Amino acid sequence: MTKKTVLVTGGAGFLGSHLCKALLERKNRVICMDNFFTGRQRNIAPFMNNPDFEVMNHDVINPYSFYVDEIFNLACPASPPHYQRDPISTYKTNIFGALNALDLADKWNAKVFQASTSEVYGDAQLHPQPETYWGNVNPHGIRSCYDEGKRGAETLFFDYHRQHGTRIKVVRIFNTYGPNMNPEDGRVVSNFIMQALKNEDITIYGDGKQTRSFCYCDDLIRGWLCLMDSDDSVTGPVNMGNPGEFTMLELAEKVIALTNSKSKLVYKPLPGDDPKQRRPDISLAGELFGWKPEVQLEEGLKRTIEYFKEF
């Protein structure tokens, strides 16, 4: 088979680096585009001697042009502390990043994949959340640069598909964790693990009864490739995540037990617009290509804890 040339924007990030690894294992040529705002060199260091791997230091807000067969558009800070650090840049990354990826896909009739998010559902009033749910999103809150940015990117993807016949794939990602996460990214799994390993107080926001569903990174990447390999008639959006639902207190207790930590729980006020419940309805992914997550939370946490012990 002829090698495909695949662009991964945000390829040095947590999920981007796992995707690059999977694509290289499939014998593709991989172009990893990243401006290293949150992406890290250490994530892609294992691939640097691979002749089929190329790194391009570039901000997706700015146009680019070269031949590609497929595009995975992942570029965007994904944790609240990072995307709230420069909210205008976050919004521009979502919108201009989508436009530039779509224009390049149009030029070469390439498949283009959009990494959307469960945040498009906002503080959901329907539980669990199916793809048909339109969401409950604050358009001008502190999370809006990310939430509305991702919603706007989805709009562009489907408008390009309707107007230009662009070959699109849209996935909505629910909370994902695993090795290559930035230990300082401010996400709940990395926060809890790092605090527990240092025997520091574990920070619980609100009463700790808000819920999330945690998907291990390998399961998610496998689902992405299933979606990208599917027929062009399958555009999405498709939810991907683990439907197992846990409170923040349950997660903290699991992390403390698995790390044998002496950490205590401390409570702080809940940040603005923080969703109270989050759980995916993944029945569509099962119907389309038989996908479902396989790694249970305890096993995934063990692997992630081993990674974080390096820091």
Side-chain angles (χ1 to χ4, degrees):
M1 292 179 62
T2 304
K3 286 183 179 180
K4 289 186 292 187
T5 298
V6 184
L7 169 65
V8 180
T9 72
F14 159 44
L15 291 174
S17 58
H18 286 285
L19 177 61
C20 287
K21 179 176 184 288
L23 291 169
L24 288 168
E25 288 172 349
R26 287 182 159 208
K27 307 302 181 185
N28 294 298
R29 294 190 182 94
V30 177
I31 302 170
C32 166
M33 181 182 289
D34 210 298
N35 68 350
F36 296 95
F37 179 69
T38 57
R40 298 185 299 159
Q41 292 279 358
R42 66 170 289 151
N43 289 346
I44 54 174
F47 323 133
M48 295 303 291
N49 293 326
N50 189 323
D52 287 326
F53 185 70
E54 176 183 348
V55 180
M56 183 177 294
N57 192 329
H58 185 83
D59 191 323
V60 297
I61 290 173
N62 302 313
Y64 49 88
S65 184
F66 43 81
Y67 177 80
V68 291
D69 295 297
E70 294 181 353
I71 304 166
F72 286 82
N73 186 42
L74 315 186
C76 187
S79 71
H82 286 166
Y83 66 65
Q84 291 168 9
R85 188 189 311 169
D86 188 345
I88 294 172
S89 178
T90 296
Y91 195 79
K92 289 167 70 175
T93 297
N94 278 308
I95 301 305
F96 290 112
L99 282 168
N100 289 328
L102 288 160
D103 283 339
L104 187 64
D106 260 5
K107 182 175 182 178
W108 300 111
N109 191 34
K111 283 186 184 180
V112 57
F113 174 103
Q114 169 64 12
S116 191
T117 172
S118 60
E119 298 298 334
V120 301
Y121 299 123
D123 191 2
Q125 297 176 331
L126 181 64
H127 192 74
Q129 295 83 51
E131 293 85 353
T132 51
Y133 178 53
W134 289 355
N136 177 40
V137 179
N138 179 353
H140 45 73
I142 61 171
R143 300 171 70 103
S144 304
C145 59
Y146 185 73
D147 300 2
E148 294 287 33
K150 289 290 190 180
R151 286 165 69 95
E154 283 198 23
T155 298
L156 286 167
F157 265 69
F158 283 94
D159 281 341
Y160 266 71
H161 176 65
R162 285 185 287 260
Q163 191 167 333
H164 299 299
T166 310
R167 302 165 68 202
I168 68 167
K169 306 286 183 181
V170 178
V171 67
R172 290 177 177 164
I173 305 164
F174 285 69
N175 290 60
T176 307
Y177 68 100
N180 291 8
M181 293 182 81
N182 186 331
E184 299 176 352
D185 68 4
R187 296 190 234 202
V188 64
V189 172
S190 51
N191 277 356
F192 284 5
I193 291 176
M194 291 305 295
Q195 289 170 335
L197 288 173
K198 296 176 182 178
N199 291 310
E200 297 175 349
D201 289 341
I202 288 183
T203 309
I204 301 288
Y205 292 98
D207 60 9
K209 295 179 182 178
Q210 64 271 37
T211 66
R212 294 292 184 273
S213 299
F214 301 100
C215 185
Y216 190 68
C217 54
D218 290 356
D219 283 333
L220 187 72
I221 299 302
R222 179 169 49 83
W224 287 4
L225 296 175
C226 287
L227 177 59
M228 200 60 153
D229 291 343
S230 64
D231 186 85
D232 284 356
S233 63
V234 179
T235 60
V238 179
N239 286 340
M240 287 191 185
N242 193 319
E245 187 177 5
F246 299 88
T247 67
M248 297 301 95
L249 287 172
E250 288 174 322
L251 177 66
E253 289 165 359
K254 283 182 179 292
V255 169
I256 289 171
L258 291 171
T259 55
N260 294 313
S261 178
K262 298 176 182 177
S263 295
K264 306 297 182 184
L265 304 183
V266 296
Y267 294 81
K268 293 188 177 181
L270 195 67
D273 299 326
D274 194 62
K276 296 176 185 64
Q277 284 186 305
R278 188 59 58 72
R279 179 189 174 198
D281 179 338
I282 60 169
S283 55
L284 180 59
E287 292 167 11
L288 290 172
F289 28 76
W291 178 84
K292 64 179 180 180
E294 297 174 352
V295 180
Q296 298 303 310
L297 181 60
E298 186 163 322
E299 175 57 31
L301 286 175
K302 288 178 182 177
R303 299 179 194 178
T304 309
I305 288 164
E306 285 304 308
Y307 172 77
F308 278 128
K309 285 180 179 178
E310 299 174 17
F311 296 94

